[in-house]
Amino acid sequence: MKKFFIVLIVIMCLAPFPNYIYSIAKSTQFGANCKDYLKLSADANSVVLAEKHLTTAINYLEENNITSGQARFFVAYPKNDVSLWYENLKTAQSQLQEMIEMGEYTELEQSNMLMKLRETLLDDGGSVTLPLAISLNPHGTLLLWLNSTMWIFWVIGGLYGVFKFTCY
């Protein structure tokens, strides 16, 4: 009977790991394929380079269907609306492409466009502006709830193990 309880405790303590591993993997993948390119676009020294990096990030969003929805946990805030955020990125991309197609632009026009892009892509602290848990989209709400409630398995498994093996 003691082996059964040990197996049960181990299962309860390991149950949350698949959710956490999946969330970490999705976050890392999003960071490498989108977030880093948005940061590179914001830090670019030319409109051509900025457009190239922004297009790479937008292509990743489109390929992974991260273009709409609401990244939220409890309350739907406009800052977590993926559709608004994506629309803002597309507008910035089209403005960059129009400027590049125009061909001739002054250094001042390029500088103004790059400053505008930087203000669009970055927060006041210099980090990339992103909706909450966008890397988990479109199943972000479900995964946030699962990840938040899975700690109960650790608590129950730990308490049960402590209680079971100290009382016998």
Side-chain angles (χ1 to χ4, degrees):
M1 191 64 143
K2 192 172 185 177
K3 287 183 182 180
F4 171 75
F5 290 116
I6 291 172
V7 170
L8 182 65
I9 291 167
V10 168
I11 289 172
M12 291 181 79
C13 289
L14 293 178
F17 282 104
N19 287 339
Y20 292 127
I21 290 170
Y22 177 79
S23 298
I24 291 168
K26 290 295 280 184
S27 178
T28 303
Q29 181 183 20
F30 180 83
N33 294 314
C34 184
K35 183 179 176 183
D36 289 349
Y37 284 104
L38 292 174
K39 179 72 169 141
L40 288 171
S41 182
D43 292 340
N45 287 323
S46 72
V47 291
V48 173
L49 193 58
E51 190 275 333
K52 175 184 169 188
H53 294 310
L54 184 59
T55 299
T56 303
I58 289 173
N59 287 341
Y60 173 81
L61 293 172
E62 291 171 349
E63 289 169 4
N64 291 280
N65 198 26
I66 308 175
T67 58
S68 62
Q70 182 66 243
R72 64 186 168 109
F73 194 54
F74 289 111
V75 180
Y77 291 105
K79 68 181 179 180
N80 294 328
D81 188 337
V82 177
S83 302
L84 292 174
W85 176 73
Y86 174 74
E87 184 179 322
N88 203 19
L89 293 179
K90 287 296 283 185
T91 302
Q93 180 190 34
S94 67
Q95 289 174 346
L96 286 169
Q97 289 171 342
E98 286 173 11
M99 184 174 221
I100 292 169
E101 287 174 9
M102 190 173 65
E104 293 197 21
Y105 44 84
T106 66
E107 191 70 30
L108 180 62
E109 290 172 329
Q110 178 175 265
S111 177
N112 286 342
M113 179 59 78
L114 291 174
M115 284 193 312
K116 182 178 177 182
L117 179 66
R118 186 171 179 80
E119 290 173 357
T120 300
L121 297 178
L122 302 181
D123 288 336
D124 292 332
S127 61
V128 178
T129 303
L130 297 171
L132 175 71
I134 189 168
S135 62
L136 302 177
N137 211 31
H139 309 295
T141 304
L142 173 66
L143 286 168
L144 282 171
W145 277 108
L146 282 174
N147 289 343
S148 298
T149 56
M150 280 297 182
W151 65 271
I152 293 172
F153 282 110
W154 279 334
V155 172
I156 291 171
L159 290 176
Y160 189 74
V162 169
F163 174 74
K164 189 69 176 168
F165 295 112
T166 58
C167 293
Y168 290 104

